Amino acid sequence: MLKKILFLSVIVLVGACNATGYSMNPWTNTTGGGAAAAPPKPLTEGTEAATAHDAKYSHVITDPNAAMQNGEFDVAGLEFTPDAQNNQNPYAQQQPYNNQMMDASVKPVKVAILVPLSGPNKDLGQALLQASQMAMFDMNFPAFEIMPRDTAADPETARKATESVINDGAELILGPLFAGSVRAAKPVASRHNVNMIAFSTDWSLAGGNTYIMGFLPFAQVQRVSEYAVRNNLSRIGILAPNTDYGNAVISAYGSMSQRAGLPRPEIARFSGDDNAISETIRRFTNYDQRSAAAKEGQVIPLPFDAILMPAGGDQARSISNLLSLYDMDAKSVKRLGTGLWDDTGLASEKSMNYSWFAAPSPDLRKDFESRFRQLYGYSAPRLATLAYDATALAIVLARKGQQEGLLQNASYGRASIFSHNQISNPNGFSGVDGIFRFRPDSLVERGLAVLEIRDGSARVIDPAPTTFQRSSHY
């Protein structure tokens, strides 16, 4: 049975997020998470720590694909928590799972992964599946079954996939990827009282049985903006696309600035082609007035200390270069951004030097990225960590249920393994993207670092928190 389960996990995919529908800022809701009572617990608390070379381990699997094909599963798992000796490494070796602890009559915990196995996003889905597959081997809990289904990034296909996995006994659903698929899957899962941890960033879908795990802009904006204010950058303007994402960023900054007693920010929205953006930025930076004054020997101060730019990729490059063109280089006027800048390609843009953005610390996921590359021969896409952390969390909660004897209870006990109280533990969890927890409103809250782009790379300049105990920056 186990060999069959593992083989299935080789041929299926997992997915991540699209954002839509930001009409307000949920981070101001009173349902937000407060201070935790304790640090994030080691997710495999009570297991004996050891090294990979400990004599008690007969074999360590280094290639999950080969191990599945060979039927091997005698593996030293990896703990889903920062190593006590090195907080930069989110893995610590743990004792292999003892199969004798499990009653042979107990059915394995079934967790579904709904992802696009076909269509234009299949490559991303494959990578996310492989990350989920890594988590299965690292966590080493044989009484766990992954049930993948194809959503094809199509709402109707996602709805049918949800019906299928629930009919086959899924006790928790990971995914889907896109907001439309989540919207179609949510009422089906809700009708059957099955919780769903979606990879979307559409916060409007959170609540009820649905948890949103994608990288949300609200905390990112508040984190980097508050860091800027603490560093005496108080005149912050906003250049935002005329999109839902841009509206969300404006709302998040507005909440932060109001709490900090800052003046209302100057805001410019843009849409359309590069020429329209250029003209918008020219007016926004007061370039013509400053140029005219300079010809008369007068100096008009720059209107901003920093500009918040909720754009990524080529659009961020274009905006940054236009700011420099209008005499607002990055040394004079700080660029502030969101996790959209967590992109190695963008870091090579010279006009982005000295820019700041908030995101999970890249130092924590280095080991994951290195192992992924070694196993699969290519670099993990940024969203792959969502699949890893979600799968690891599911296994941790399943193992906890086994330790508490809940797997033997076919009714209430098993239902409580993935209950709201278990998923939304206020102390949080620690994964390859740092600490995270689900707030009472079912939105993910993360411990974020502030990074600076400098000479082709991004480095941490303000570390991410390691606990939710103290008051959050965001």
Side-chain angles (χ1 to χ4, degrees):
M1 178 65 176
L2 178 59
K3 184 185 298 184
K4 180 179 179 182
I5 293 168
L6 295 175
F7 175 74
L8 285 174
S9 70
V10 172
I11 61 173
V12 289
L13 314 175
V14 195
C17 58
N18 260 11
T20 61
Y22 298 103
S23 58
M24 60 171 287
N25 178 8
W27 233 247
T28 61
N29 290 349
T30 57
T31 53
K41 292 173 58 178
L43 296 181
T44 49
E45 189 172 43
T47 58
E48 180 182 352
T51 68
H53 303 290
D54 195 305
K56 70 166 71 73
Y57 298 120
S58 59
H59 179 58
V60 175
I61 290 178
T62 57
D63 186 346
N65 286 324
M68 288 187 197
Q69 295 169 3
N70 297 335
E72 305 171 18
F73 201 71
D74 182 14
V75 53
L78 294 173
E79 188 178 60
F80 186 59
T81 183
D83 178 33
Q85 302 301 318
N86 178 10
N87 270 343
Q88 298 305 309
N89 180 0
Y91 306 103
Q93 296 287 348
Q94 73 172 44
Q95 182 177 348
Y97 178 75
N98 183 355
N99 290 294
Q100 295 179 351
M101 295 172 61
M102 179 61 66
D103 186 335
S105 65
V106 174
K107 295 181 180 178
V109 176
K110 293 185 175 183
V111 172
I113 297 180
L114 304 184
V115 292
L117 308 181
S118 57
N121 299 289
K122 64 181 181 180
D123 289 342
L124 174 60
Q126 178 64 50
L128 296 175
L129 167 67
Q130 290 168 331
S132 176
Q133 175 183 312
M134 283 174 59
M136 287 186 64
F137 277 88
D138 289 351
M139 301 306 293
N140 186 25
F141 187 62
F144 184 88
E145 179 177 344
I146 282 287
M147 303 168 59
R149 292 292 190 279
D150 182 15
T151 64
D154 170 69
E156 178 59 18
T157 304
R159 185 192 65 77
K160 292 178 179 178
T162 308
E163 293 277 11
S164 172
V165 294
I166 290 175
N167 289 338
D168 288 345
E171 298 167 77
L172 177 71
I173 295 173
L174 306 180
L177 163 57
F178 295 106
S181 296
V182 177
R183 190 173 292 109
K186 179 173 180 171
V188 178
S190 179
R191 187 165 63 248
H192 294 277
N193 296 315
V194 175
N195 285 329
M196 183 166 65
I197 299 177
F199 301 133
S200 172
T201 55
D202 188 344
W203 63 266
S204 69
L205 295 171
N209 69 308
T210 303
Y211 300 83
I212 297 299
M213 192 173 184
F215 300 113
L216 302 174
F218 309 102
Q220 298 167 7
V221 170
Q222 295 178 30
R223 176 75 165 99
V224 72
S225 299
E226 290 184 352
Y227 179 78
V229 171
R230 292 200 305 272
N231 283 273
N232 302 314
L233 303 178
S234 59
R235 297 180 304 142
I236 299 175
I238 304 176
L239 271 170
N242 194 17
T243 62
D244 292 330
Y245 188 88
N247 294 338
V249 167
I250 291 170
S251 179
Y253 181 84
S255 299
M256 185 285 300
S257 61
Q258 188 175 34
R259 290 195 308 271
L262 298 175
R264 292 178 63 87
E266 293 289 333
I267 299 170
R269 301 172 189 265
F270 58 83
S271 57
D273 58 25
D274 289 344
N275 288 334
I277 294 175
S278 177
E279 188 59 32
T280 296
I281 295 175
R282 185 184 185 113
R283 291 193 303 268
F284 183 64
T285 59
N286 202 16
Y287 176 74
D288 290 338
Q289 185 179 357
R290 289 187 291 111
S291 296
K295 291 177 181 179
E296 299 295 329
Q298 302 172 8
V299 176
I300 296 179
L302 294 174
F304 308 111
D305 299 322
I307 291 180
L308 181 59
M309 299 164 36
D314 290 339
Q315 193 171 68
R317 290 186 184 89
S318 176
I319 293 170
S320 184
N321 279 310
L322 285 168
L323 288 172
S324 296
L325 177 66
Y326 296 129
D327 298 336
M328 299 182 72
D329 63 87
K331 278 189 175 181
S332 303
V333 179
K334 186 73 66 178
R335 284 91 159 109
L336 306 177
T338 66
L340 294 177
W341 294 2
D342 196 358
D343 174 2
T344 55
L346 191 59
S348 64
E349 173 56 54
K350 291 183 178 180
S351 71
M352 293 288 289
N353 266 344
Y354 310 104
S355 298
W356 295 342
F357 67 97
S361 173
D363 297 335
L364 296 176
R365 64 178 186 264
K366 283 181 179 178
D367 182 73
F368 165 82
E369 291 173 336
S370 175
R371 292 193 304 128
F372 188 101
R373 190 179 301 107
Q374 290 174 357
L375 288 171
Y376 305 118
Y378 67 100
S379 297
R382 179 63 191 91
L383 297 176
T385 54
L386 291 177
Y388 185 99
D389 281 355
T391 304
L393 172 60
I395 296 172
V396 163
L397 296 181
R399 181 188 283 122
K400 183 173 183 288
Q402 183 272 326
Q403 293 169 345
E404 296 175 354
L406 300 179
L407 301 192
Q408 287 79 2
N409 188 326
S411 56
Y412 172 76
R414 292 190 72 102
S416 66
I417 293 172
F418 300 121
S419 68
H420 178 76
N421 287 341
Q422 298 298 329
I423 294 174
S424 58
N425 182 334
N427 296 328
F429 308 95
S430 185
V432 294
D433 275 317
I435 63 172
F436 70 97
R437 64 178 177 178
F438 290 101
R439 298 166 13 135
D441 58 8
S442 301
L443 294 174
V444 72
E445 180 178 4
R446 298 181 180 276
L448 301 174
V450 176
L451 296 92
E452 181 178 65
I453 295 175
R454 181 78 70 87
D455 300 328
S457 64
R459 61 183 182 89
V460 173
I461 57 174
D462 195 39
T466 58
T467 177
F468 290 108
Q469 283 179 284
R470 58 180 177 270
S471 296
S472 172
H473 288 304
Y474 30 84

